[in-house]
Amino acid sequence: MPYLGCEETVKELKRALSNPNIQADRLRYRSYITRVIRSMTQGLDVSALFMDMVKASATVDVVQKKLVYLYMCTYASHKPDLALLAINTLRKDCADPNPMVRGLALRNMCNFRMPGITEYIQQPILTGLRDKASYVRRVAVLGCAKMHSLRPSTEIDPSIVNELYALLRDPDPVVMVNCLRALEEILREEGGVVINKPIAHHLLNRLKDLDSWAQSEVLIFLMRYRPRGDDELFDVLSLLDEFLQSVHTPVMAATLRLFLRLAAAHPAVQADALLRARGPLLAACGSASRELRFAGLCHVQQVLRSQPALYSGQYKRFFCGYSEPGYIKLRKMEILVELVNDENVVLVLEELKSYCTDVSPELAQAAIAAIGHIGRTYTEKCLDILTGLLALQQEHVTSAVIRTFRDLVWFCPQSIGAVCRAVEVCGENPQDTEGKQALLWLLGMHGEQISSAPYVLEGFIDGIKAELSSAVKTELLTAALKLFLCRPAETQDMLGRLLHYCIDEESDMCVRDRALLYYRLLQCGVDEARKILLGPESDPSMTVLAGRPEEPVGCWASGFNTLGPLAGADAHPDAPPADSSAQHCHSTEEEVVSKPPCQPGLTLGPPLSHEAFERLWVELRVLHRQTLGFPPPAAPPETLQAVLQLVKVQALAFSRCEARPWKAYVCARAGSTLVLAELLHGDPAVPDSQDALLLSVKQRPENLQAIRGFVSVLKTSAVQVQGQKSVT
């Protein structure tokens, strides 16, 4: 809706622009043009002044030309007929002796959005590509990309592409970088700009002449080049070495990513590059910009996946500041957990203990969880701190400590006694759902060591009518039954009341079904209930793998300097395609199995129909074939299908157990990759299938990491099937 009085304003401006006396005074004329632009930016419709503004472009004043060009670009689409006059004026200015005027005219002509504009701008752009002034060449190169975006469906002009490739040798560094951007846009459907050996070495030698933004962009383009030998590789790395210490964080990060990718076959070189980039990464973690600080912390976390000891000496750099936002404090606490060792554990725990009283419940609970994570290695020190926190009698602190106790007992069985004593003296029960579930689990699993367990449990049973969470009710049923099995005299009455309420009065069907299950289980006898509910005792010689194994750098290098680390995602963007000569050969079992275990996990997706599977199986070729080392599982098809569903593998067809040859067809998804597989055993025509299962894999698109993940999942599923007689 136009402003009130806009018509009078437009009429006044039109009279002023048409007044010869004002036109004779250059400063007054420019001031009225400025008023037109101001009115336009305020929302007034000043398109009626188009002809007067076109006339105003006939001047030697560069400032006035800029204002008029801005106006014409804004209203050219509204008045395409009159815009033809503006185009003629701009084409005339493209031949002006002043290079600034030529560049301005060409840039604004490319900004016109009107039908048929490409036929008017093509010749000025081609002329601008050969202009003596570097500013005009910069504008003309970007104009090629704009011209392509106006007609993306038309055929690419090879003369323009060749001209842009030739301009990569331009002495002006901005022209060179603009050519890369333009070629990437124009050749997007063909895979983007091609970086061969001469272009790669030319870009490497020109890196010093570029600003930080251009350096980052060129380093990303260089990710597409692969040196042909170790000599060339180390020459390239020598040229990149100084940029690892760049004061500009984006340049350092892009250089490190390129370093890690080029040196994928040289782990020692990768480790040295990470060591050299430690200082700049730490500087980014202490930057005044919160966004840059957060990005630096996320990338440090990625490095710690492969070299957890690299930053252990600088652990104090990751202590939280009072004024830092919560998302930075959370990241720093996660890093501190990774940096703990025998030398700094006391100081790190003291620092985390101070965070447990933070005014933010979320940060306090995260600090308690971090202490619990460290407690898997340094149990006694962390138990003392956690037990002391219970004395604060703050609801969110108590809940977090109880949850941490539950996890700690599971990871460290030697801490059961201390945890039970701490829970027994706890004077306040958690009020949130997760805290209640953790406390009930502890009471059920270790209630024989907690003297007050029946009384605490009775309080939950008395208040079950007011409980809203079905998860808490289900956990209460399980805890009450477990406690009954070890202390029947004290819990028999309360268990009967709980089962009676859940079966007769409870409206939640999940809770009611669980109560019926336990009721019928007790009817079979206490020994049967104990056997099923408590299960066999674990081997005391076995322990839980609490630590995270060091990952090869290649598992995360492709996601470095992207948005992946900031999102905390495990799946990183795909790296540029590798050498095509290695993509069309069959992979052997050694190639697939011997590589590091960094394959992506299988994901759920829409089920594949039998018709679609058959069509794809006929179209695709076998990419991988290997023997799995075991015969087909002696289990009915229903069992096999149930186990495969648990690991996100879809079963389409199985042979009967006694059939020979035995076949099975399955499929799975690993990200965007669809994996199709055939399992074969006992086929006389295939010798490899006589003694063990033969696996044949097809894919769309091709992805060796997905094959490794799929093979690993199949082997795990086979072990599960062979270790059980049926699936309940």
Side-chain angles (χ1 to χ4, degrees):
M1 179 178 178
Y3 289 96
L4 293 175
C6 64
E7 295 182 0
E8 290 75 11
T9 302
V10 172
K11 290 179 181 179
E12 178 188 353
L13 291 172
K14 189 173 183 64
R15 286 194 299 268
L17 293 175
S18 303
N19 191 335
N21 295 325
I22 295 178
Q23 292 177 358
D25 189 342
R26 190 179 64 177
L27 294 179
R28 286 184 65 192
Y29 195 37
R30 187 200 293 178
S31 68
Y32 276 102
I33 293 174
T34 306
R35 285 184 60 186
V36 173
I37 301 300
R38 186 184 302 116
S39 301
M40 180 183 70
T41 56
Q42 290 175 349
L44 271 67
D45 183 9
V46 290
S47 59
L49 305 176
F50 197 90
M51 286 302 302
D52 299 286
M53 294 295 285
V54 171
K55 294 177 182 178
S57 63
T59 179
V60 295
D61 187 354
V62 177
V63 176
Q64 183 173 319
K65 279 185 178 291
K66 285 185 178 181
L67 296 173
V68 175
Y69 289 162
L70 175 61
Y71 174 90
M72 289 192 295
C73 290
T74 303
Y75 286 107
S77 59
H78 295 77
K79 294 184 176 293
D81 297 334
L82 296 177
L84 292 175
L85 299 176
I87 290 175
N88 292 329
T89 302
L90 290 170
R91 286 173 65 93
K92 181 181 178 181
D93 286 343
C94 286
D96 193 274
N98 188 346
M100 180 65 70
V101 175
R102 296 200 302 271
L104 283 173
L106 183 57
R107 185 178 69 180
N108 288 276
M109 194 187 310
C110 294
N111 287 336
F112 275 25
R113 295 295 180 264
M114 51 180 290
I117 186 64
T118 53
E119 61 183 86
Y120 296 101
I121 64 175
Q122 184 171 5
Q123 187 56 44
I125 286 176
L126 293 175
T127 304
L129 292 175
R130 304 179 183 90
D131 199 283
K132 294 181 179 180
S134 61
Y135 174 68
V136 181
R137 295 198 302 274
R138 297 177 188 178
V139 174
V141 168
L142 295 180
C144 294
K146 292 182 179 179
M147 183 171 62
H148 175 74
S149 66
L150 292 174
R151 48 175 191 179
S153 58
T154 58
E155 186 177 355
I156 299 174
D157 189 350
S159 62
I160 293 180
V161 174
N162 293 335
E163 192 77 27
L164 291 175
Y165 270 115
L167 283 174
L168 288 175
R169 303 281 181 177
D170 194 277
D172 185 69
V174 180
V175 174
M176 180 188 72
V177 177
N178 285 357
C179 283
L180 289 173
R181 295 165 178 157
L183 286 169
E184 181 70 12
E185 180 68 25
I186 295 172
L187 303 175
R188 185 178 301 276
E189 297 295 330
E190 300 180 7
V193 58
V194 177
I195 306 296
N196 54 24
K197 182 176 179 179
I199 293 177
H201 284 262
H202 173 69
L203 295 177
L204 287 167
N205 291 320
R206 294 289 300 275
L207 272 178
K208 295 180 181 179
D209 303 332
L210 307 177
D211 59 12
S212 59
W213 289 93
Q215 285 176 347
S216 302
E217 201 158 359
V218 169
L219 288 168
I220 293 174
F221 281 114
L222 286 171
M223 295 280 293
R224 304 178 183 182
Y225 179 66
R226 286 290 173 276
R228 300 305 178 192
D230 284 350
D231 292 338
E232 183 187 359
L233 170 64
F234 287 107
D235 289 341
V236 171
L237 295 181
S238 298
L239 293 173
L240 293 172
D241 187 65
E242 62 179 290
F243 296 99
L244 282 175
Q245 301 289 329
S246 174
V247 296
H248 302 287
T249 305
V251 176
M252 179 276 300
T255 306
L256 181 57
R257 184 187 180 191
L258 181 58
F259 233 97
L260 298 178
R261 183 167 178 79
L262 293 177
H266 303 276
V269 177
Q270 290 180 325
D272 184 65
L274 291 173
L275 179 62
R276 295 205 59 194
R278 180 177 61 184
L281 268 179
L282 287 173
C285 294
S287 171
S289 169
R290 293 179 174 182
E291 292 77 11
L292 184 57
R293 204 183 319 165
F294 179 74
L297 292 171
C298 295
H299 284 78
V300 166
Q301 277 188 296
Q302 272 203 319
V303 176
L304 291 177
R305 292 167 57 182
S306 296
Q307 297 191 1
L310 186 61
Y311 291 84
S312 58
Q314 287 77 29
Y315 66 95
K316 291 185 178 180
R317 301 285 293 269
F318 301 100
F319 285 176
C320 300
Y322 176 77
S323 59
E324 287 181 328
Y327 59 89
I328 290 181
K329 290 183 179 180
L330 290 174
R331 287 284 179 171
K332 284 191 171 183
M333 283 189 277
E334 293 174 4
I335 293 175
L336 283 175
V337 171
E338 301 288 339
L339 300 182
V340 170
N341 55 34
D342 295 340
E343 298 176 357
N344 59 28
V345 60
V346 176
L347 290 176
V348 171
L349 286 176
E350 286 296 326
E351 185 71 16
L352 290 173
K353 181 181 177 181
S354 66
Y355 304 155
C356 295
T357 55
D358 195 277
V359 294
S360 169
E362 180 185 3
L363 293 176
Q365 291 181 343
I368 294 171
I371 293 174
H373 196 92
I374 297 173
R376 300 172 187 179
T377 307
Y378 303 94
T379 308
E380 294 183 5
K381 295 182 176 64
C382 296
L383 277 176
D384 294 339
I385 295 175
L386 294 172
T387 304
L389 291 174
L390 289 176
L392 297 176
Q393 294 189 352
Q394 296 181 6
E395 182 180 325
H396 65 279
V397 173
T398 301
S399 174
V401 171
I402 294 297
R403 295 200 305 263
T404 304
F405 278 158
R406 175 197 58 194
D407 299 338
L408 200 57
V409 163
W410 191 77
F411 278 101
C412 306
Q414 68 272 16
S415 65
I416 292 176
V419 168
C420 290
R421 290 191 295 271
V423 171
E424 188 169 356
V425 300
C426 179
E428 181 183 1
N429 291 336
Q431 301 301 316
D432 63 306
T433 300
E434 294 183 2
K436 290 179 182 178
Q437 289 180 259
L439 178 59
L440 290 171
W441 186 88
L442 287 170
L443 295 176
M445 287 297 298
H446 308 289
E448 70 279 2
Q449 301 185 40
I450 304 174
S451 59
S452 60
Y455 309 103
V456 177
L457 208 60
E458 188 172 16
F460 281 101
I461 294 174
D462 292 340
I464 191 171
K465 292 184 179 180
E467 181 59 53
L468 301 177
S469 172
S470 59
V472 172
K473 294 178 183 179
T474 305
E475 192 67 49
L476 179 58
L477 279 167
T478 305
L481 184 55
K482 287 181 178 179
L483 194 59
F484 168 75
L485 294 177
C486 62
R487 301 171 70 171
E490 299 172 271
T491 56
Q492 181 177 1
D493 179 66
M494 67 177 73
L495 177 61
R497 288 189 285 116
L498 178 61
L499 290 175
H500 178 271
Y501 170 80
C502 292
I503 293 173
D504 292 345
E505 301 181 35
E506 178 59 47
S507 59
D508 191 300
M509 295 307 296
C510 294
V511 178
R512 183 176 179 275
D513 288 346
R514 180 67 65 92
L516 284 171
L517 171 65
Y518 289 161
Y519 177 74
R520 291 163 183 165
L521 190 59
L522 288 171
Q523 286 180 325
C524 297
V526 175
D527 293 336
E528 286 295 324
R530 180 178 287 106
K531 185 189 303 182
I532 292 176
L533 197 63
L534 299 181
E537 298 233 348
S538 60
D539 187 352
S541 64
M542 304 292 288
T543 183
V544 178
L545 297 176
R548 184 176 63 185
E550 295 183 11
E551 300 179 14
V553 175
C555 291
W556 52 265
S558 61
F560 196 82
N561 196 31
T562 65
L563 293 178
L566 275 65
D570 293 334
H572 304 297
D574 291 335
D579 190 5
S580 59
S581 61
Q583 294 182 356
H584 301 289
C585 59
H586 292 304
S587 57
T588 64
E589 180 179 356
E590 290 76 12
E591 290 174 340
V592 174
V593 176
S594 62
K595 292 190 177 181
C598 56
Q599 65 271 6
L602 303 184
T603 57
L604 292 174
L608 192 67
S609 66
H610 293 75
E611 294 79 8
F613 182 93
E614 183 178 2
R615 185 177 65 255
L616 290 172
W617 187 262
V618 173
E619 291 177 0
L620 302 176
R621 61 187 180 87
V622 175
L623 292 175
H624 173 69
R625 183 176 282 118
Q626 76 173 79
T627 55
L628 296 181
F630 47 81
E638 295 81 7
T639 300
L640 297 175
Q641 186 172 8
V643 172
L644 290 175
Q645 283 179 349
L646 292 176
V647 292
K648 303 175 183 177
V649 175
Q650 179 188 354
L652 289 103
F654 283 107
S655 299
R656 294 188 304 273
C657 299
E658 64 278 3
R660 289 296 179 271
W662 185 90
K663 287 186 178 182
Y665 290 95
V666 297
C667 68
R669 297 180 187 273
S672 60
T673 303
L674 179 63
V675 183
L676 312 178
E678 178 194 55
L679 296 167
L680 178 63
H681 177 68
D683 189 348
V686 183
D688 292 341
S689 68
Q690 298 301 315
D691 299 327
L693 276 176
L694 178 65
L695 172 69
S696 303
V697 180
K698 300 182 179 183
Q699 275 187 316
R700 174 179 287 178
E702 299 178 10
N703 185 348
L704 285 182
Q705 286 190 349
I707 295 180
R708 292 197 292 272
F710 183 72
V711 172
S712 175
V713 167
L714 281 184
K715 289 185 176 181
T716 304
S717 303
V719 172
Q720 292 176 354
V721 173
Q722 292 171 347
Q724 63 182 14
K725 294 182 179 179
S726 63
V727 175
T728 302

